[in-house]
Amino acid sequence: MTRHFSLLSRLLHWLMAILILAMLFIGVAMVSSLSDYHRLVSIHKPLGILILILVAIRLVNRLFNPAPSLPAGMPAALRFTAHASHWLLYALMFALPLVGWGMLSAAGYPIVLIGLLHLPPILPHDAGLYAALRPLHTVLAFVLFATFLAHLGAALMHAVVFRDGVFQSMTR
Amino acid sequence: MPNIPASSRPDGDPRYTLASLLAPPQLVRLAAIGAVVGAVAASFAWTGGFFSPDRLDQTRMIDAFEAANGPHPGFRRNHAKGVCLEGYFDSNGAGARLSKAEVFQPGRVPVFGRFALAGGLPMIPDGPTIVRSMALNFSLPDGEAWRTGMNDIPVFPLRTPQAFYDQLVAAKPDPKTGRPDPQLLAAFQAAYPETVRATAVIRAHGFSSGFANATYNGLDAFLFTSAAGTTTPVRWSMEPVDAFAPAAAAPTADRNYLFDALIARVHDAPAKWHLILTVGQPGDPTDDATQPWPPERERIDAGVLSVTRIVAEGDGNCRDINFDPLVLPDGIAPSDDPLLSARSAAYSTSFTRREGETKIPSAIQTARRP
Ligand code: HEM
Ligand code: HEM
Ligand code: HEM
């Protein structure tokens, strides 16, 4: 029985952990800064689309390279919470960039990544749609951050409190 | 620290029980984890400005517009009274020397936009000395766009976002007198001498008699990059084909006389403007929109804008567009002007608020006309 994630899984996990944390911090920084807004939003959009591409690769990898099983002695409620939170993280990693792309489409903005690289709109230009999606992007980002905090706490619990090898399954 | 292999006892491993978590050495570890998680959460809140409520950000800026003008749900927080325009731009190719942007290649691109009066009052009566504006969206191939918002003044009165904010606060009508507090205004002018200078330049320049014979200036500097890779600072303007006539001293009885004249003018024949690119030289200020550039600077006529139709604001047209001045094509980039990023941020906040509000019809209606 494998006790750790495949190399590709670990690479994707840590690369995306850095990118997603950066996105969350860039996001809240840019909406509260007049002087850095443009610079940050110009990074936020292409980086968000990169995350969408990476999470699609990661999901396929996850289906082919299943996660190692959790320690058999872990209580059922804990296992359930672990699995549910991982799927919630996957769902949010898809939802945030899609909502970001969708809200810019609904606002009638050109979706500029870099230079001449543009994305087509995925939704029609519609005020009501934008007005619904823009706050949704904020709410989902805060749910993602809260889930990440719980995830971080849980990872550290495995590392120093339970010491059951779960932390090492992602670090080794 | 070594890992103790997890036991596979079906009744559960004792290390996961509450009792073992409450043992003192574990409690210390739990507290340390809590501290780490708390520190990450706090740095997130700090990054989002949670601990600096006095910082001038886009929320406070737009709040200041709302405080100065009162609530007008569904309307722009500035340049609130307006009407949509449609037309096209015929590029003559002369701009391609400065910028590789598609819009400067010879040929025609569709344009839509908006004429407006500056200020946050959507129902204000037209007046001869209220700043008029033209906002445009050039629709380029492959979903690219160039958006710009231009005013019919020669320089912008404010150099920084802070100056704009301080002016909004200083010029806010006193609830008792209904007029701005003269002491606050005097203090503002003392703090911003460049605004006093720019206001004198604006007064001396004067206003035209209507929308169709006004010159609209982009005011902020931008950086143009040519196909060869050279970068040049540029300020642009739309100069009317219709002859200049000075504004009348007083408004007419028609509350919308400027807009009505525009609608009638475009109904007769397309109204036209030349897109003029003014080429900056080393030393010309790119970070200060209150200062004019020397009048002898080279001016390139890049083509003609034709406005063929005027339409009332409505669902999905110019009303639901953010003319963010940093929606730029490849080949035009922002300069170091501090107004630019601030405009982009503030317009986005204004746009988000107004798009979520119930709309009432705009002051300027065009449907009744033949
Ligand atoms: C620096 C902080 C992080 C640490 C210490 C950490 C640690 C871990 C560990 C130890 C695991 C293995 C759990 C298991 O065996 O089931 C794991 C899995 C996982 N982590 Fe993280 N992680 C971090 C950040 C993130 C971030 C930011 C995300 C994405 C939002 C994320 C998403 C996931 C997902 C989805 C899994 C489940 C693995 C899978 O099924 O692909 N992690 N993490
Ligand atoms: C993992 C992906 C993403 C994360 C974690 C994320 C996170 C955030 C956060 C935290 C904010 C600030 C929300 C607020 O406080 O109101 C934000 C705003 C924003 N995001 Fe994202 N985002 C992601 C993807 C995207 C994508 C793909 C796009 C567009 C292509 C996008 C476009 C925007 C825009 C335009 C804003 C707001 C700008 C404004 O209102 O002025 N985001 N994002
Ligand atoms: C920091 C400085 C500035 C602030 C805070 C500011 C604020 C605003 C706001 C809040 C709007 C409404 C946006 C919307 O809801 O779509 C607006 C519109 C506009 N502004 Fe500014 N502005 C600034 C500087 C300028 C400058 C320098 C110019 C001229 C070049 C300008 C020209 C315009 C025009 C033409 C519009 C109307 C666009 C339209 O019709 O949609 N603004 N401004």
Side-chain angles (χ1 to χ4, degrees):
Chain A
M1 187 184 74
T2 48
R3 296 290 295 128
H4 59 88
F5 284 90
S6 71
L7 179 63
L8 180 59
S9 304
R10 279 174 285 147
L11 277 178
L12 282 168
H13 174 270
W14 290 112
L15 174 64
M16 292 191 68
I18 294 166
L19 294 182
I20 287 170
L21 275 178
M23 281 297 282
L24 286 164
F25 277 80
I26 289 173
V28 293
M30 74 194 187
V31 297
S32 61
S33 170
L34 292 170
S35 52
D36 296 328
Y37 176 80
H38 179 66
R39 200 170 321 143
L40 292 178
V41 92
S42 311
I43 301 172
H44 190 86
K45 289 185 254 183
L47 207 56
I49 297 300
L50 177 65
I51 287 172
L52 182 59
I53 296 168
L54 287 175
V55 74
I57 297 171
R58 184 168 173 186
L59 183 67
V60 173
N61 171 63
R62 178 70 166 70
L63 300 177
F64 286 100
N65 282 320
S69 46
L70 289 167
M74 235 174 108
L78 269 189
R79 299 157 155 282
F80 172 80
T81 313
H83 288 136
S85 67
H86 291 162
W87 288 115
L88 178 62
L89 286 168
Y90 268 99
L92 290 167
M93 287 187 282
F94 275 104
L96 263 153
L98 283 172
V99 170
W101 185 357
M103 79 193 187
L104 293 182
S105 309
Y109 288 111
I111 301 146
V112 183
L113 296 184
I114 23 171
L116 275 171
L117 190 60
H118 281 68
L119 293 178
I122 50 172
L123 287 174
H125 180 203
D126 183 283
L129 213 48
Y130 173 74
L133 291 175
R134 177 63 190 81
L136 182 64
H137 193 70
T138 303
V139 169
L140 291 178
F142 281 87
V143 172
L144 173 58
F145 186 67
T147 315
F148 158 72
L149 286 182
H151 180 73
L152 173 65
L156 294 178
M157 293 272 286
H158 285 291
V160 299
V161 176
F162 303 143
R163 285 186 268 169
D164 54 5
V166 169
F167 185 75
Q168 284 69 16
S169 72
M170 194 50 98
T171 52
R172 207 167 48 94
Chain B
M1 154 180 3
N3 273 292
I4 308 133
S7 97
S8 49
R9 279 166 34 192
D11 54 333
D13 190 310
R15 77 180 96 185
Y16 298 108
T17 60
L18 192 58
S20 61
L21 287 182
L22 294 178
Q26 294 291 55
L27 278 180
V28 173
R29 295 188 181 109
L30 285 174
I33 292 172
V36 170
V37 172
V40 175
S43 58
F44 188 67
W46 181 83
T47 307
F50 189 75
F51 301 122
S52 36
D54 292 337
R55 191 165 78 190
L56 177 56
D57 63 8
Q58 42 271 61
T59 304
R60 278 187 81 208
M61 181 69 100
I62 296 304
D63 287 348
F65 277 96
E66 292 176 0
N69 299 307
H72 299 286
F75 291 96
R76 283 165 167 78
R77 278 15 180 194
N78 197 8
H79 296 248
K81 184 183 186 183
V83 73
C84 299
L85 70 87
E86 290 169 17
Y88 46 83
F89 175 66
D90 289 309
S91 166
N92 57 23
R97 202 188 93 202
L98 297 178
S99 169
K100 61 183 174 190
E102 270 295 321
V103 64
F104 297 118
Q105 293 303 316
R108 175 171 289 189
V109 294
V111 170
F112 65 84
R114 185 170 174 271
F115 286 108
L117 295 183
L121 301 173
M123 303 295 161
I124 193 178
D126 293 357
T129 60
I130 303 175
V131 173
R132 277 162 252 155
S133 65
M134 174 194 265
L136 297 175
N137 176 99
F138 298 76
S139 309
L140 308 177
D142 302 323
E144 228 193 354
W146 176 25
R147 291 186 184 166
T148 172
M150 297 165 288
N151 289 340
D152 70 339
I153 44 178
V155 287
F156 198 66
L158 306 149
R159 192 176 60 83
T160 60
Q162 185 70 50
F164 202 129
Y165 177 82
D166 289 349
Q167 192 201 37
L168 284 170
V169 174
K172 190 181 147 185
D174 184 317
K176 281 192 235 88
T177 61
R179 327 196 83 244
D181 179 340
Q183 265 179 323
L184 283 181
L185 275 183
F188 171 78
Q189 291 181 341
Y192 295 102
E194 74 272 16
T195 299
V196 177
R197 282 194 296 272
T199 308
V201 173
I202 294 168
R203 285 235 175 81
H205 180 83
F207 289 92
S208 75
S209 60
F211 273 103
N213 64 354
T215 297
Y216 298 95
N217 298 301
L219 304 179
D220 298 307
F222 290 80
L223 301 178
F224 279 37
T225 303
S226 70
T230 17
T231 295
T232 321
V234 168
R235 284 178 173 176
W236 60 72
S237 302
M238 282 290 178
E239 297 197 350
V241 169
D242 284 12
F244 177 87
T252 73
D254 173 5
R255 292 173 64 85
N256 303 325
Y257 75 101
L258 288 171
F259 283 100
D260 286 346
L262 170 71
I263 293 164
R265 167 67 189 77
V266 174
H267 187 75
D268 285 346
K272 298 187 184 214
W273 283 263
H274 287 270
L275 171 58
I276 304 295
L277 308 175
T278 302
V279 185
Q281 292 298 320
D284 290 346
T286 52
D287 60 351
D288 186 351
T290 67
Q291 288 193 51
W293 282 355
E296 64 274 15
R297 288 291 171 263
E298 187 193 0
R299 293 153 39 89
I300 296 175
D301 182 342
V304 175
L305 168 75
S306 299
V307 172
T308 54
R309 220 160 88 87
I310 301 290
V311 193
E313 291 183 305
D315 281 347
N317 66 14
C318 81
R319 187 195 70 188
D320 294 331
I321 289 288
N322 171 4
F323 292 94
D324 175 346
L326 294 184
V327 170
L328 297 168
D330 192 33
I332 306 182
S335 69
D336 54 353
D337 187 333
L339 295 178
L340 286 173
S341 178
R343 288 178 71 186
S344 191
Y347 292 20
S348 172
T349 300
S350 171
F351 179 71
T352 300
R353 289 193 190 175
R354 62 188 173 83
E355 290 301 80
E357 295 162 347
T358 312
K359 308 286 196 298
I360 60 164
S362 302
I364 309 304
Q365 292 300 322
T366 48
R368 288 181 261 102
R369 283 163 196 286

